[in-house]
Amino acid sequence: MPTDSTTAAHALTLPEELILILLNEESGYFHQVPGWHLNCAVAGATLAELSLQARIDTDMDQLILLDRSPTGDAVLDLALQQIGSETESNNAQHWIERLAPNAELMIDLILDRLTASALLEYHEGNFWTLSSVARHSEFVDAGNEDTAIQFIKTRIAKSIFGGTIPSPRDVIIIGLANTCDVLRCIFEIDNDAQHRIELICKMDLIGRAIAHAVEQNLTGPALRRAALTRPVPRVPMRRLVFNRQAWRGNLPAFFADLKQQFGSVFVIKPPLTRSPLYVLAGIQTNRWVHRYGRMYLRSRDYFRDLESAYHAAGLLPALDGADHFRLRKAMRPTYSRANLDRHRHDLHQHARTHIATWKEGDTFPLVHMCHHYVNAQLSPLFVSIDSQDLVDDVIAYKQRALNTKVAKVLPGFLLSTPGMKRKAKSVEAAVERIQQTHTSGQRAGCPRDHADDLLALHNSDPVFMPESNMKFALSAPILAAMYVGDELSFILHALICRPDIYRCVQAEAAAVFGQDEPRWDLLDSDEIDVTMRFFRECLRMHPTIPGSIRTVMNSCVVEDCELPFGARVFVAATASHYLNEAFPDAHRFDIDRYLPARSEHRSPGYAPFGLGTHSCLGSRLVERQLVADILRLAHYFTMELAKPRRRLRISPFPSMSVSRRVQVVIKEQRHPIVV
């Protein structure tokens, strides 16, 4: 492998180098280049790489295919295949215009390749950073630079500011970056530097041809956008009021119904609200939100009132951009599956201690039972305290805050009633209990938990994590019992109503929990295949968070509809769960959807944990815990509904859960519980 500074990064293709220099590790994403500009730049970089590899020849007038044999690079071969499909000779501008619509696929392939080669690390929520493996790797001249990205940027900087004669590759990269006006995001460009850039762009004929072709393609779509948009359909009030799924509380199915009638983008006017709500529903809108939502939608406006309920500012759900990514990175170790696995023995002990008090014939409100069962495990894991005496009040206050401040289905004064003020004091009591048990002396010799990380972040950067935010931040892990418990309530209800699946899950549970020590290794094996497929189908049919509300911060076009600046948007991410185009016969409970031959969940249509940057940080932890909980409860107990019903009753606000009126009975304790 070459090691001199002019060739060290040549293992990377021009499209890969372009993507790398756009990466902003502080924000975990890429410097914001308008979509069409980036598409044209990626297409141009691809053509330039093919030219440097002698697969094509191009000048200002024409592009000629010289060698159509595969290169082994998926992006380059995609372009070669398309170029080879036409017999007529065309210029570079023509081919950039033809390739640009495929640029999203090309970018995906580039990111997959950079991730597979351990150069980039992917983070949940659609973030990327340079991996630790890539630092001081073979892509880098270790004597000069720290990372591959810095190496590429240094080459460019030496050409622009140091007077170094650039290589043809660097001329092309500089020309493409200049055409898209992205160099100003990376460097401080003054008049002298701009003059030098213009000179560099003229140094290479191929670079000039490609940059000129990209520039010619940039203005068209932007000028045509407004003329091509179509009116956004408005849903009549009667379609909202008389929808069967709305009355049942099944919000994903409700929005799926509206999507089938009015398309992927439509406007509703919810009762008791002043402003209309734009709704995005469907597979294509999910894909758009996941890829581009961060550039056009923000969450701050939606959660601002919730922050006021906790006297906070800058909470994770309300943050966007670099601050959001920084806080997610700080919290990621706690909410990782690896953290759960490290403490699984203790979690199992906490769970068994809790359910050891359940006896045959006991009757429990299902949701309440699930909240306490989950909290018995998560509270010690995250904040190292027992909060069972406080969890009901902490959850009740959060639910009222969401209903009054966020969903606004209740008047605001209901958060200030005497009862709610007492529950607010329970939140303060929980925070005080955590702080009292997290002094230096108390934590000596104890493994770090989430509270330790938050308190350390506050001490090291009190502006980023101020004391005013600690009330919410420290109580949030207790609130996890609400969301995870709500999902568990759906799962147990579905299990009880399907005796054949119940028996299969109990058989698989025997393999995991039927030994002296649990077989945790089986949680990653085909030995629990039915349980995993059942779990995924429960997430599809009964997600606890049906969608999210955002504000349009930059006007944009989605599915040929324009979303104006300042508009409120409901991203109905789970509406696609009830669309036949994503899940055939979508209203039927079918665990065979997740067999390898079908794998219907492997698409943007499956979004039980949200989309894009604000997707659930602890999704992998939650999956592992809920699967273990299903198997554990199935192993030790057979349950039944106190009052069997034909139709599931759903409580839709503030998050979806089984109705609080539903009760379960412990019909049989199948095995003794040794604490």
Side-chain angles (χ1 to χ4, degrees), residues 405-530:
K405 299 292 188 178
V406 180
K408 298 186 178 179
V409 295
L410 294 176
F413 73 87
L414 289 180
L415 188 62
S416 303
T417 62
M420 279 298 118
K421 289 181 179 179
R422 287 193 295 271
K423 289 175 172 55
K425 291 182 179 179
S426 293
V427 178
E428 295 172 357
V431 173
E432 184 178 355
R433 186 178 299 178
I434 294 168
Q435 290 173 325
Q436 288 176 348
T437 58
H438 282 76
T439 62
S440 303
Q442 295 277 354
R443 298 298 294 165
C446 298
R448 288 184 68 88
D449 63 13
H450 184 56
D452 290 321
D453 292 340
L454 287 174
L455 291 168
L457 185 60
H458 165 65
N459 292 331
S460 64
D461 194 346
V463 175
F464 182 66
M465 177 56 72
E467 186 177 351
S468 59
N469 286 5
M470 297 303 288
K471 178 179 177 181
F472 180 87
L474 289 175
S475 64
I478 302 175
L479 293 170
M482 177 179 79
Y483 296 107
V484 181
D486 287 346
E487 189 59 55
L488 184 59
S489 71
F490 279 123
I491 292 170
L492 291 180
H493 190 281
L495 193 63
I496 292 169
C497 293
R498 293 168 176 83
D500 54 336
I501 295 180
Y502 205 155
R503 288 189 292 271
C504 291
V505 172
Q506 286 177 330
E508 293 181 345
V512 178
F513 291 106
Q515 317 298 321
D516 292 336
E517 289 295 328
R519 288 284 309 279
W520 300 116
D521 59 301
L522 296 183
L523 296 183
D524 294 311
S525 73
D526 291 337
E527 297 293 325
I528 60 166
D529 174 64
V530 172

Side-chain angles (χ1 to χ4, degrees), residues 24-142:
N24 181 346
E25 285 205 87
E26 181 182 354
S27 67
Y29 202 55
F30 302 92
H31 291 291
Q32 299 304 305
V33 178
W36 183 252
H37 289 57
L38 180 58
N39 289 0
C40 290
V42 170
T46 302
L47 292 179
E49 182 67 32
L50 289 173
S51 179
L52 292 175
Q53 293 190 19
R55 299 308 182 100
I56 62 172
D57 189 19
T58 184
D59 55 27
M60 304 299 288
D61 299 317
Q62 64 178 339
L63 184 148
I64 303 170
L65 179 62
L66 302 177
D67 182 357
R68 67 177 67 221
S69 60
T71 66
D73 181 291
V75 173
L76 302 182
D77 290 343
L78 180 66
L80 271 180
Q81 183 180 14
Q82 192 160 351
I83 294 172
S85 66
E86 292 192 9
T87 57
E88 295 183 5
S89 177
N90 293 288
N91 60 17
Q93 180 180 340
H94 167 86
W95 281 114
I96 287 175
E97 186 173 343
R98 290 291 308 277
L99 293 173
N102 294 325
E104 292 181 15
L105 173 59
M106 292 178 173
I107 293 171
D108 287 341
L109 292 171
I110 292 168
L111 291 173
D112 288 345
R113 178 167 173 172
L114 292 174
T115 304
S117 65
L119 195 58
L120 290 184
E121 181 180 355
Y122 174 76
H123 303 267
E124 293 292 333
N126 223 29
F127 297 99
W128 284 267
T129 57
L130 195 72
S131 69
S132 57
V133 176
R135 301 178 189 278
H136 305 286
S137 72
E138 68 269 20
F139 290 97
V140 183
D141 176 10

Side-chain angles (χ1 to χ4, degrees), residues 122 176 230 241 254 268 300 382 398 473 480 515 563 584 633:
Y122 174 76
L176 290 171
R230 60 184 176 85
V241 175
F254 165 65
I268 64 174
R300 183 184 64 204
F382 289 143
K398 173 68 178 296
Q515 317 298 321
L563 304 182
L633 294 178

